[in-house]
Amino acid sequence: MNVAETPFEFFTVAYLTRIGNQSAGNLEELLSGLEQCSDASIFHHTYQTLSSHHFLTEGFSNDFAQWALAEANREALAEQFATLDIRDYTSIAALRTDLCRVLRDFIDAFPQFGRQESLDRFYFCESLEVTMPFSLTATNLADFRDGVATISHASFHFHFVTSRLRLQFRTNDFSNWLAGSLGLDSLAENINHIDIYTNTLDSARAKMLRLVDRERRKHEHGASPS
């Protein structure tokens, strides 16, 4: 079994939610808020919302889409917001640009809805991330599997989803380490392809563990007898 020179270090993470001083009562105000709010606010209403609703596989995956449907009664806009896949982004700036583009294009196409008051206001919140080492590391595939099976939902989401923002690559911490430190490119790619929208965090973790177990069996069967 391969042993990594650089161990994988698992982190535990918590998010402190803070309500900002911005809110929106119609689509034009929402656009202004999207343009001006902090990166932490964009993160909260997209990445963190997905983590908070990790047990769901149906419905809209970000707060902007949910508000557009439930409070502004604009289903078409909600669907366009929901098509933005956070796995495609390696920066909040790029995600903000596309959120604004979607909303601006909708308002341009349907100006009569721009100032139509919503049922309830949208309140921009922020997620402040606090991370700490988990006192758990892995240098081989067996240790890695034990770690993935042990960590919390928040830690799994941190390493599997939001890691794209840290790495600046369209991959995750797990796959990055498996490929770079253990040379398991195929396993890394298969793990990176696990869909976070059609799976809960629990089922995504279960799929990852099955892939790791299959890789371990492959290496065990291919090992030379001692």
Side-chain angles (χ1 to χ4, degrees):
M1 181 178 295
N2 292 348
V3 177
E5 292 185 6
T6 303
F8 186 94
E9 187 172 15
F10 293 92
F11 277 76
T12 183
V13 60
Y15 293 97
L16 305 177
T17 300
R18 181 173 64 192
I19 299 176
N21 56 8
Q22 293 172 291
S23 67
N26 58 49
L27 297 184
E28 288 189 1
E29 291 178 358
L30 182 67
L31 177 58
S32 178
L34 281 171
E35 292 171 338
Q36 299 174 28
C37 71
S38 66
D39 286 356
S41 185
I42 297 291
F43 180 90
H44 174 86
H45 293 296
T46 53
Y47 287 87
Q48 183 55 25
T49 294
L50 183 62
S51 176
S52 301
H53 298 88
H54 65 85
F55 47 85
L56 301 176
T57 58
E58 296 181 356
F60 294 124
S61 58
N62 67 68
D63 289 337
F64 304 117
Q66 183 59 40
W67 182 83
L69 176 66
E71 307 301 338
N73 196 29
R74 302 272 72 90
E75 183 176 359
L77 174 60
E79 291 175 348
Q80 290 176 51
F81 274 143
T83 61
L84 300 179
D85 187 338
I86 59 175
R87 294 171 298 179
D88 292 336
Y89 297 93
T90 59
S91 73
I92 292 296
L95 177 56
R96 182 200 302 271
T97 295
D98 280 354
L99 287 166
C100 290
R101 173 186 53 77
V102 165
L103 183 50
R104 191 178 297 107
D105 287 350
F106 186 85
I107 293 173
D108 288 345
F110 305 100
Q112 68 273 26
F113 297 142
R115 297 184 180 179
Q116 188 175 87
E117 290 301 305
S118 60
L119 297 176
D120 199 4
R121 298 186 70 82
F122 184 95
Y123 292 92
F124 287 85
C125 300
E126 294 182 342
S127 279
L128 305 180
E129 185 179 86
V130 180
T131 60
M132 291 182 61
F134 197 54
S135 300
L136 184 65
T137 60
T139 57
N140 57 48
L141 202 53
D143 291 344
F144 175 79
R145 193 232 188 258
D146 290 342
V148 170
T150 300
I151 58 177
S152 66
H153 289 131
S155 180
F156 183 83
H157 182 268
F158 173 80
H159 287 298
F160 190 53
V161 181
T162 66
S163 50
R164 285 166 167 76
L165 299 177
R166 294 191 310 279
L167 296 172
Q168 298 290 294
F169 293 115
R170 289 177 60 181
T171 187
N172 62 85
D173 286 342
F174 300 136
S175 295
N176 188 57
W177 182 79
L178 288 167
S181 296
L182 293 184
L184 300 175
D185 294 350
S186 179
L187 174 60
E189 183 176 356
N190 288 336
I191 285 176
N192 198 45
H193 286 159
I194 296 174
D195 194 338
I196 58 173
Y197 290 103
T198 59
N199 286 283
T200 65
L201 288 185
D202 282 328
S203 62
R205 186 205 308 252
K207 286 188 175 183
M208 184 181 299
L209 293 176
R210 286 196 296 271
L211 288 170
V212 170
D213 288 340
R214 186 175 68 184
E215 186 71 23
R216 291 177 65 195
R217 288 194 299 270
K218 183 170 64 177
H219 283 268
E220 288 170 0
H221 294 156
S224 300
S226 55

